[in-house]
Amino acid sequence: MKGRFIIILILSTIQFSAVAQSDTVDWHNILRQKKSWYSTDEAKQIGSQVLHFQHDNGGWAKNIEMAEPISKSEIAKLKTKQETTIDNGATIKQLRFLKKMIDQNYSKVYIKSFKDGVAYLLEAQYENGGWPQFYPLKKGYYTHITFNDNAMIGVLQLLYDINNTDEYTYISEQTKSKIAVAIEKGVAIILELQIELDGELTVWCAQHDEKTLEPAKARAYELPSLSGGESVEILDFLMQFDNPSDRMITAIEAGVNWFKTHSIDDKEVKWINIKTDTGMRRDRVVVEAPGAEALWARFYSLETQQPIFVGRDGIIKDNLADIEYERRTGYSYIRNYAERLLKKDYPEWKLRLKVVND
């Protein structure tokens, strides 16, 4: 009986540790907490740090664990080395966090910070409607109109939410008018950037030159191409509008049709353990799998519209296995990008469109 009690105690301890671990709040899961959590002292401590990390221009830098306790002096040091951006969810995530804090605390300090962040986003928009990855502008591919990693769509989605819900009463009508113009310009440039090949509209590149509007290169392994990843986010954004224009409908139908005809079938992505001279390591591979759910590549050639895989050498390969291990395992080149789009989002959009037209 005693032994059984010890086993139960050990199992209970393990289970408790697992729960405690899963309940740890960090910047990665900061937006996924229960509503009540945002009124706790822990949330307010993180909120204070988010305020201190905000730059004078209203934006935030990227790749910072803002939920980890850090002194104000250390924050000040870090800020001197940082640049404000919308890359990797920066600025957007902070604003969505602040919105949750305002909902539970309605602090004037949080509201001012939120307003300053929105002003930053509006100021950063190009006259043609696009958004650069960094603002103030940073020399290099950072000036491109950037869909990569949900940058521009993340901005537009937040602005859309502000103007299309009743949850942002602290945003003035004057600012909402500016937001409406920004959204209109953003949609217009999205429609203009949709790539046409052989007389047919297709999808978008992950980034476009801000002046010529042509598909553009970013990092060595992000060549001008058709994006099987970012284009899904663009289509999902366009499908939200209650009264889409004929041009928007054409863009959506064309994009969805492109995904329907460019899936990678009967394949599956798997993680496997392989033996090396230094021990075991995990590798990502594509294997034959008849009947498997469809996959899509992150990048497709602008010439052939076939999947391409590019490592840090910038050379196009035909297969995932042909690029180096570090990129193969550290970057998403192939996955079920458009599964939800085709199975749920698009059919629901078609139904809504039918109801509106009827």
Side-chain angles (χ1 to χ4, degrees):
M1 189 70 177
K2 183 178 179 181
R4 184 182 174 189
F5 173 79
I6 292 173
I7 291 172
I8 292 173
L9 180 62
I10 291 172
L11 288 174
S12 298
T13 302
I14 292 172
Q15 290 171 353
F16 175 81
S17 297
V19 171
Q21 182 65 31
S22 65
D23 286 347
T24 300
V25 177
D26 56 28
W27 194 243
H28 177 71
N29 61 24
I30 197 72
L31 301 181
R32 298 199 295 269
Q33 306 306 310
K34 294 179 180 179
K35 285 184 179 181
S36 59
W37 178 84
Y38 295 96
S39 62
T40 65
D41 289 341
E42 181 182 16
K44 292 174 183 177
Q45 169 60 28
I46 295 172
S48 176
Q49 293 194 163
V50 168
L51 296 178
H52 282 100
F53 268 114
Q54 187 173 26
H55 287 242
D56 290 342
N57 63 13
W60 282 266
K62 67 175 183 176
N63 300 339
I64 300 172
E65 176 47 73
M66 294 196 176
E68 185 176 319
I70 184 171
S71 68
K72 292 180 183 178
S73 60
E74 192 60 32
I75 290 175
K77 284 182 184 178
L78 284 171
K79 285 174 68 174
T80 62
K81 306 173 185 177
Q82 298 166 348
E83 298 163 290
T84 47
T85 179
I86 58 172
D87 190 31
N88 289 2
T91 300
I92 304 304
K93 192 168 188 176
Q94 282 82 0
L95 290 174
R96 291 206 176 273
F97 168 72
L98 286 172
K99 192 267 182 186
K100 290 177 179 290
M101 294 297 292
I102 294 167
D103 287 348
Q104 298 302 311
N105 305 281
Y106 207 80
S107 161
K108 290 183 179 180
V109 178
Y110 294 145
I111 290 172
K112 181 183 184 306
S113 178
F114 187 93
K115 289 179 177 179
D116 289 347
V118 170
Y120 167 81
L121 296 178
L122 293 175
E123 183 181 332
Q125 186 179 29
Y126 285 131
E127 185 58 36
N128 64 17
W131 268 270
Q133 191 180 111
F134 280 77
Y135 185 81
L137 295 178
K138 178 180 178 180
K139 188 175 180 181
Y141 66 82
Y142 311 102
T143 62
H144 294 331
I145 296 173
T146 305
F147 295 118
N148 193 25
D149 291 336
N150 203 31
M152 177 169 157
I153 296 302
V155 174
L156 281 170
Q157 186 61 61
L158 176 64
L159 297 180
Y160 180 94
D161 291 345
I162 292 172
N163 270 23
N164 288 274
T165 69
D166 57 2
E167 299 179 7
Y168 298 83
T169 56
Y170 40 88
I171 298 299
S172 70
E173 290 304 314
Q174 182 181 16
T175 298
K176 286 187 176 181
S177 294
K178 293 179 181 179
I179 289 173
V181 173
I183 293 172
E184 183 177 356
K185 289 167 63 176
V187 170
I189 195 65
I190 285 173
L191 298 179
E192 188 170 354
L193 293 176
Q194 191 170 18
I195 299 167
E196 183 176 324
L197 297 174
D198 300 324
E200 299 286 339
L201 286 173
T202 60
V203 286
W204 292 263
C205 185
Q207 52 278 320
H208 289 252
D209 186 279
E210 68 277 13
K211 295 177 181 176
T212 68
L213 306 186
E214 293 297 318
K217 177 184 176 184
R219 290 171 288 191
Y221 47 91
E222 296 168 334
L223 302 182
S225 57
L226 299 167
S227 169
E230 282 74 13
S231 295
V232 171
E233 297 162 350
I234 296 170
L235 290 168
D236 277 335
F237 173 73
L238 292 177
M239 287 191 294
Q240 293 177 105
F241 290 81
D242 291 333
N243 296 294
S245 65
D246 290 343
R247 179 65 184 85
M248 288 172 70
I249 293 171
T250 297
I252 292 167
E253 295 285 9
V256 168
N257 183 64
W258 185 89
F259 275 105
K260 287 180 177 178
T261 56
H262 288 81
S263 61
I264 300 170
D265 301 319
D266 300 323
K267 304 283 187 182
E268 184 179 356
V269 178
K270 296 183 67 175
W271 284 95
I272 62 171
N273 292 319
I274 58 174
K275 189 174 182 179
T276 69
D277 294 339
T278 57
M280 301 294 292
R281 71 178 184 182
R282 298 186 75 210
D283 199 358
R284 182 184 283 167
V285 297
V286 178
V287 299
E288 296 292 333
E293 295 288 348
L295 300 172
W296 287 266
R298 181 75 174 267
F299 306 116
Y300 288 76
S301 166
L302 289 169
E303 286 73 37
T304 66
Q305 298 194 53
Q306 293 299 307
I308 58 174
F309 302 89
V310 186
R312 291 191 183 277
D313 59 5
I315 300 173
I316 293 175
K317 311 290 197 320
D318 293 329
N319 301 291
L320 181 66
D322 296 333
I323 62 174
E324 69 270 23
Y325 174 81
E326 181 269 333
R327 286 292 78 195
R328 192 166 67 240
T329 58
Y331 192 80
S332 181
Y333 287 93
I334 179 171
R335 57 179 291 190
N336 60 337
Y337 286 113
E339 181 178 349
R340 180 186 170 92
L341 171 73
L342 299 185
K343 287 186 175 181
K344 185 177 186 298
D345 298 341
Y346 175 67
E348 289 180 355
W349 175 77
K350 288 288 285 186
L351 183 59
R352 291 198 310 273
L353 199 62
K354 184 177 184 301
V355 170
V356 170
N357 291 333
D358 287 347

